[in-house]
Amino acid sequence: MKQQAVIFYFSGTGNTWWVSEELSHQLTGRGLKTKAYSIEKISQKEAVALMEQSDLAGFGYPIHGSDLPRPMVEFIESLPDNANKNGFVFCTQWLWSGDGAAVGASFLQKRGFNVLWGDHFLMPNNVTVSVIRLPYTNSLTRLEKVRNRAGRRIKRFAARIVEGKPFRHGFNYGAYLLGSMQRVPYRRVYHKLLNDIAVDSKTCIDCGDCVRLCPTGNLFYQNGDIMTRGNCALCLRCYNFCPVAAIKHMDRPHRHSRGEPYRGPVENFDPFILAE
Ligand SMILES: Cc1cc2nc3c(=O)[nH]c(=O)nc-3n(C[C@H](O)[C@H](O)[C@H](O)COP(=O)(O)O)c2cc1C
């Protein structure tokens, strides 16, 4: 029987979606039939069934402070703990995470996965909020350059998986120490960051996109107003894809002088392919 693989990914603003699709394409082209699924679009039961049909399972997520986004942690923890399956893990990041893939592997090992491959892919920065002054861009030329560079690395990663040559980038003590320098303070302040999003009712055009796109149901309608529950995933999907930039972060509206919010790794990216 021909081997096949499945990829489960969480993506806030499309970067991890793009890497997952590219990786599926590369693996399939090398004879390992692979399909990628957004964890927001499948139930736990479907995920378990897909895993049972596959010889290999992959997991992808964006790095948040050298850590996994909460939806990915919850997804992994919802899986049975007796996977007994080879796996691969990858993260997307703007700049650096230290041991970003190894953190995911540590969660997966507890569910019985033998993680033989892990890698990090540099993708555009999606942190565009006013309080954090990191550079970001929607320039198509820049996005193409970043995609090309990531694409080459994805090809090498796919080749190693298909050849059965274990490769685990950043699975060492040095990377762990560097990752911890960011992850430990991040985990300490994390719970204070879950209610930083709000909708500016003066700018809002009431399209409801943020409510439908939110992966955790943090944004919801109450008596015609959009409210928050305080369980934000920090993915910045609502912030970046609001058509009129009506989402405030820490009570500050988007600073247009710094450029428009990040709209995903490809032109006209539709965030609804990740959710609903
Ligand atoms: C809350 C948060 C924390 C982040 N932390 C890091 C980080 O520690 N290192 C890094 O290089 N990028 C960091 N980023 C950038 C994202 O990891 C990066 O842009 C990623 O590719 C986004 O993927 P997505 O579009 O699939 O959500 C962070 C983004 C967010 C929203």
Side-chain angles (χ1 to χ4, degrees), residues 10-18 61-67 91-97 121-127 134 182 186 193 233-236 262 264-265 274:
F10 173 73
S11 179
T13 56
N15 290 350
T16 314
W17 157 79
W18 186 83
Y61 48 86
I63 268 301
H64 287 178
S66 293
D67 210 354
C91 60
T92 66
Q93 58 197 36
W94 164 56
L95 192 63
W96 175 84
S97 68
F121 300 106
L122 294 184
M123 289 295 284
N125 179 27
N126 67 350
V127 181
L134 298 174
Q182 192 165 234
Y186 177 76
L193 310 174
L234 313 187
C235 69
L236 293 180
Y262 179 63
L274 307 171

Side-chain angles (χ1 to χ4, degrees), residues 165-228:
K165 286 187 192 151
F167 171 79
R168 308 198 306 170
H169 181 76
F171 284 55
N172 57 63
Y173 198 61
Y176 164 77
L177 276 182
L178 289 172
S180 300
M181 278 164 57
Q182 192 165 234
R183 188 163 51 252
V184 170
Y186 177 76
R187 283 187 181 172
R188 211 164 270 166
V189 296
Y190 176 75
H191 66 280
K192 294 189 188 148
L193 310 174
L194 307 183
N195 210 9
D196 285 344
I197 290 292
V199 176
D200 179 0
S201 54
K202 283 191 235 103
T203 320
C204 177
I205 52 169
D206 207 22
C207 66
D209 279 6
C210 57
V211 171
R212 289 187 293 140
L213 285 171
C214 179
T216 56
N218 180 42
L219 296 161
F220 68 103
Y221 272 107
Q222 193 173 61
N223 303 327
D225 291 326
I226 299 174
M227 313 294 283
T228 55

Side-chain angles (χ1 to χ4, degrees), residues 113-127:
F113 288 94
N114 182 22
V115 180
L116 295 176
W117 300 273
D119 209 354
H120 307 173
F121 300 106
L122 294 184
M123 289 295 284
N125 179 27
N126 67 350
V127 181

Side-chain angles (χ1 to χ4, degrees), residues 45 88 113 203 208 265 270 272:
K45 236 178 157 180
F88 56 92
F113 288 94
T203 320
D270 175 10
F272 283 99

Side-chain angles (χ1 to χ4, degrees), residues 105-154:
S106 65
F107 283 98
L108 289 164
Q109 274 147 10
K110 287 186 199 137
R111 312 321 288 168
F113 288 94
N114 182 22
V115 180
L116 295 176
W117 300 273
D119 209 354
H120 307 173
F121 300 106
L122 294 184
M123 289 295 284
N125 179 27
N126 67 350
V127 181
T128 61
V129 293
S130 303
V131 284
I132 305 171
R133 286 166 174 268
L134 298 174
Y136 64 88
T137 181
N138 280 310
S139 143
L140 296 178
T141 330
R142 180 76 197 122
L143 294 186
E144 196 184 347
K145 267 193 187 158
V146 177
R147 285 201 311 262
N148 287 343
R149 184 185 54 194
R152 289 193 291 275
R153 199 171 169 112
I154 293 168

